Amino acid sequence: MEALRIYTEKPYCLQGEVTISGAKNAVLPAIAACLLTEDRVELTNVPLVKDVQTMLTLVGELGASYSLDENQKTLSLEVKRIKSTQAPYKLVRAMRASILVLGPLLARSGQATVALPGGCAIGTRPVDLHISGLQKLGANLKIEHGYIIAEAKRLKGTEIEFEKKTVTGTENLVMAACLAKGETILKNCALEPEVVNLCELLVRMGAKIDGIGEETLRITGTRELSGAEHRIIPDRIEAGTFLVASALTRGDLILKEVEPKQVEAVIDKLVMAGSQVELPGRNIVRIKGGEDLKPLDITTAPYPGFPTDMQAQFMVLMTQANGRSIITETIFDRRFAHANELLRLGAWIEIEGDKAIIRGKTPLSGAEVMATDLRASACLVLAGLIATGQTTINEIEHLDRGYEKIEEKLRHLGVRIERFTNNNNNNNKKAEVKS
């Protein structure tokens, strides 16, 4: 198992520049969308993260050929024909976003067999809205032996209203509707920038979509889509993580390749906590951490509200605020596992149902901790920046799923951080820095 170790003789004050990578949650549906056409799709600003490799492996088994230029961060995909309509459990279980191949596979080939994703470290995320939506589009679906089995000669447009906001559900049904016969109206759609980015790609491929960025989408189906070139938007969660890092360390960071509007909810809370934020140029954000952090009350909500993927990072921040903070998690259940690891570092946190109560200011000291999911991993990295001594973060494969070379970016900002192999949790093993 690989781990990260952060050495903190005194709390860091991060200063410098960080270039934000492309959004993991935007590139994954974009890769799935390549299944809708036999022509080449070229994606730029592709993040070099583990989830991208997992999705490429999956679409490769389904018939995609692809090439990834890591220097240019450009990905070319082509699916001349669907050679398999089955997404096996061994791949789907590694990444829940694999469910995104269900809609495109069914729409193009008339059938799809996709494994149910199963459990999740941050709570249940059912796919019932995907299934009921496809059924309304005319698909015959059944669940057998842990697989969703779907068939339809050709999907037919209809009107669908989501019972609640669902990002991947919206993405799946938009892609399916692009090749359906007639008009599909989707109501109560997710508004996340990643959904908008996918719709923009589909339009470039020849799809007819009205209402992009709104709660109601109208899709007029077509027989086929063509290839396209498309740029992946910046990762707003990575941007938010570095914004918090600057606030936490009283730093002065300049973030490049950021869409300020997409991180507005995060910026608003950081300003309330005492940070200064400037927008010195296009796609640039500068943040200066304040001397004294103020406590916050935060409630997660669908975009444009405060993102659930940032609550773990803010939990660390609030351990250093002067007073009591409350974080209410409304999106996922069981998403406070990182609190137990922060307790090991000296934090004062109580969990009451969907609320986390944090009392600060509490000094943190380094210890060995375990990453439980992607954003919890980032939370523990942030904690390591202010915890005196050594902080060792195990099972960082979670971190690699969504953050591109985060230790290299932090090292560039002056952080002593090493990646090493932690065999049998032997902490006496010498850390080997990996490039």
Side-chain angles (χ1 to χ4, degrees):
M1 289 288 185
E2 288 196 327
L4 285 179
R5 183 171 292 149
I6 300 173
Y7 300 86
T8 306
E9 296 178 4
K10 61 179 181 179
Y12 290 99
C13 178
L14 300 187
Q15 297 188 32
E17 297 182 353
V18 179
T19 299
I20 300 303
S21 302
K24 171 187 81 78
N25 289 337
V27 73
L28 298 180
I31 292 173
C34 78
L35 297 168
L36 291 167
T37 178
E38 63 181 26
D39 296 336
R40 182 176 62 85
V41 175
E42 185 172 291
L43 305 175
T44 60
N45 198 35
V46 173
L48 306 178
V49 295
K50 186 176 179 182
D51 273 10
V52 168
Q53 292 296 336
T54 301
M55 184 63 95
L56 288 176
T57 300
L58 174 56
V59 296
E61 288 205 6
L62 301 177
S65 59
Y66 57 86
S67 62
L68 175 60
D69 185 330
E70 295 191 359
N71 291 325
Q72 298 296 321
K73 297 188 177 180
T74 299
L75 174 63
S76 294
L77 303 111
E78 193 172 64
V79 189
K80 285 295 184 184
R81 67 178 185 87
I82 302 292
K83 70 177 184 181
S84 172
T85 58
Q86 179 166 325
Y89 179 61
K90 66 179 181 180
L91 292 176
V92 175
R93 71 183 296 271
M95 183 183 67
R96 292 187 59 91
S98 301
I99 193 69
L100 288 168
V101 303
L102 176 61
L105 264 184
L106 179 61
R108 180 173 171 186
S109 65
Q111 55 185 350
T113 303
V114 178
L116 287 166
C120 179
I122 61 171
T124 55
R125 292 194 275 182
V127 296
D128 56 325
L129 298 180
H130 303 241
I131 293 172
S132 62
L134 290 172
Q135 286 175 325
K136 290 175 182 177
L137 286 171
N140 295 314
L141 285 98
K142 58 183 178 180
I143 298 177
E144 290 184 352
H145 310 297
Y147 281 82
I148 303 169
I149 303 171
E151 294 182 350
K153 289 184 177 180
R154 189 183 180 190
L155 298 174
K156 297 179 181 179
T158 188
E159 182 173 313
I160 300 169
E161 183 168 359
F162 294 107
E163 294 179 9
K164 60 182 179 180
K165 290 282 196 299
T166 166
V167 174
T168 54
T170 300
E171 292 168 340
N172 233 335
L173 293 190
V174 167
M175 287 189 283
C178 285
L179 296 183
K181 182 179 180 180
E183 182 183 64
T184 299
I185 300 175
L186 301 179
K187 295 183 176 181
N188 196 29
C189 294
L191 302 177
E192 272 71 3
E194 295 79 14
V195 175
V196 172
N197 199 231
L198 172 64
C199 289
E200 291 171 345
L201 165 60
L202 294 170
V203 168
R204 290 189 174 97
M205 295 170 64
K208 299 176 182 179
I209 306 175
D210 292 324
I212 295 175
E214 301 174 3
E215 289 190 337
T216 299
L217 293 173
R218 288 178 169 80
I219 305 102
T220 302
T222 183
R223 275 289 184 181
E224 60 183 16
L225 297 180
S226 59
E229 295 182 3
H230 179 69
R231 181 174 175 82
I232 300 300
I233 58 173
D235 194 313
R236 60 193 174 98
I237 305 303
E238 183 192 17
T241 301
F242 277 100
L243 288 170
V244 170
S246 185
L248 183 66
T249 63
R250 301 178 182 178
D252 184 355
L253 288 186
I254 294 176
L255 277 59
K256 296 183 174 181
E257 299 299 328
V258 182
E259 292 284 352
K261 183 174 178 57
Q262 296 176 3
V263 290
E264 200 170 72
V266 171
I267 289 175
D268 287 347
K269 288 297 184 182
L270 290 174
V271 171
M272 291 174 62
S275 295
Q276 298 179 30
V277 177
E278 303 171 4
L279 305 177
R282 180 178 173 81
N283 297 335
I284 298 175
V285 176
R286 181 178 185 179
I287 176 168
K288 299 178 182 179
E291 288 298 316
D292 294 305
L293 281 168
K294 299 177 179 63
L296 296 171
D297 286 348
I298 294 171
T299 300
T300 63
Y303 188 86
F306 188 89
T308 178
D309 282 353
M310 285 300 304
Q311 64 96 334
Q313 297 91 315
F314 266 76
M315 187 176 291
V316 177
L317 186 68
M318 290 301 94
T319 68
Q320 302 307 299
N322 293 306
R324 187 184 78 157
S325 300
I326 299 176
I327 297 176
T328 304
E329 174 58 61
T330 69
I331 307 298
F332 296 123
D333 57 346
R334 303 201 310 272
R335 203 174 195 184
F336 287 137
H338 47 276
N340 290 328
E341 301 305 302
L342 291 177
L343 292 176
R344 288 180 49 78
L345 299 175
W348 194 105
I349 303 169
E350 285 186 351
I351 305 300
E352 296 181 359
D354 63 354
K355 290 179 172 54
I357 302 168
I358 308 104
R359 294 188 187 274
K361 181 177 182 178
T362 307
L364 303 184
S365 59
E368 185 170 2
V369 291
M370 190 75 66
T372 55
D373 62 67
L374 171 54
R375 305 309 171 186
S377 306
C379 146
L380 297 174
V381 170
L382 292 176
L385 300 178
I386 57 170
T388 56
Q390 298 182 27
T391 302
T392 301
I393 306 161
N394 293 304
E395 296 195 11
I396 60 166
E397 65 270 15
H398 296 294
L399 190 70
D400 293 336
R401 287 185 49 222
Y403 288 89
E404 180 181 348
K405 300 179 181 178
I406 190 171
E407 73 273 21
E408 292 185 16
K409 293 183 178 181
L410 288 171
R411 198 176 295 130
H412 180 70
L413 299 174
V415 177
R416 282 190 63 200
I417 181 170
E418 296 176 335
R419 176 181 291 253
F420 66 101
T421 302
N422 196 358
N423 290 327
N424 300 319
N425 291 325
N426 180 9
N427 295 316
N428 294 320
K429 182 180 176 63
K430 184 178 179 180
E432 177 185 354
V433 179
K434 300 190 177 183
S435 59

